[in-house]
Amino acid sequence: MAAKAAPPRPVHPDIERILLEEPQLQARIKEMGRQISRDYAGRKLTLIGILRGGVVFLGDLMRAITLDCSVDFMCLSSYSGKGSTGAVRVLLDLRDSAEGRDLLVVEDIVDTGLTLHYLLDNLRTRGPRSVEVCALLDKAECRKIEVSAKYVGFKIPNEFVVGFGLDYNEKYRNLPYVGVLRSGGK
Ligand code: IMP
């Protein structure tokens, strides 16, 4: 049976405007996957998905990577509502050893940089061959501490965004686009 085209999905009423549409996200993620595949050829790549915001990005990115690689997860907490608390906690740690591996941290967004700064320091103590960051979004003007991501999907302005894995109080992660939340949130 021939598949029927799905009707267009309405924009969520809590979204003020869409910043990045799904096709734009997918095209950029494919490009990032190609670049990572070139850069890590012949190496022992482990993608470290950061729960929960990074999972949607990770799912698409790993399918765009054409190398053998492994996947592991960490869950960190630093946000409450729309603000970073600054205090980072490890809620779930890696299952496998990082020793001798080329680690690529896959994050949804770099904002103040506090979470990543903590995480990179933590991972470097575990004897990896290398540690780099791949972030879908970068709010560079919000940085409170110097951290740089080797791979960045999109630089975005200082606005609170949701969708494509990003949440506000655990809501909106399943939106297929990245959008700016109406002020006040829901
Ligand atoms: P940072 O420590 O301030 O760089 O924040 C990192 C984490 O905060 C990200 O991994 C997100 O989970 C969350 N975060 C930062 N900005 C936003 C946003 O605009 N929307 C949703 N979550 C955000």
Side-chain angles (χ1 to χ4, degrees), residues 44-62:
K44 290 180 181 163
L45 177 62
T46 296
L47 303 174
I48 301 183
I50 305 301
L51 301 173
R52 300 172 185 150
V55 289
V56 177
F57 176 40
L58 175 73
D60 287 334
L61 183 71
M62 63 193 274

Side-chain angles (χ1 to χ4, degrees), residues 36-115:
I36 291 166
S37 305
R38 280 196 298 272
D39 293 353
Y40 285 88
R43 294 167 66 180
K44 290 180 181 163
L45 177 62
T46 296
L47 303 174
I48 301 183
I50 305 301
L51 301 173
R52 300 172 185 150
V55 289
V56 177
F57 176 40
L58 175 73
D60 287 334
L61 183 71
M62 63 193 274
R63 285 176 296 166
I65 292 176
T66 52
L67 301 170
D68 288 340
C69 61
S70 57
V71 179
D72 210 338
F73 293 93
M74 284 182 84
C75 183
L76 305 168
S77 143
S78 64
Y79 253 64
S80 161
K82 285 189 181 178
S84 174
T85 61
V88 183
R89 285 186 306 145
V90 176
L91 304 180
L92 175 82
D93 209 342
L94 297 179
R95 194 187 65 175
D96 299 329
S97 164
E99 185 136 18
R101 306 281 314 177
D102 290 297
L103 306 180
L104 185 59
V105 173
V106 180
E107 253 286 38
D108 51 356
I109 187 166
V110 191
D111 183 6
T112 63
L114 293 168
T115 310

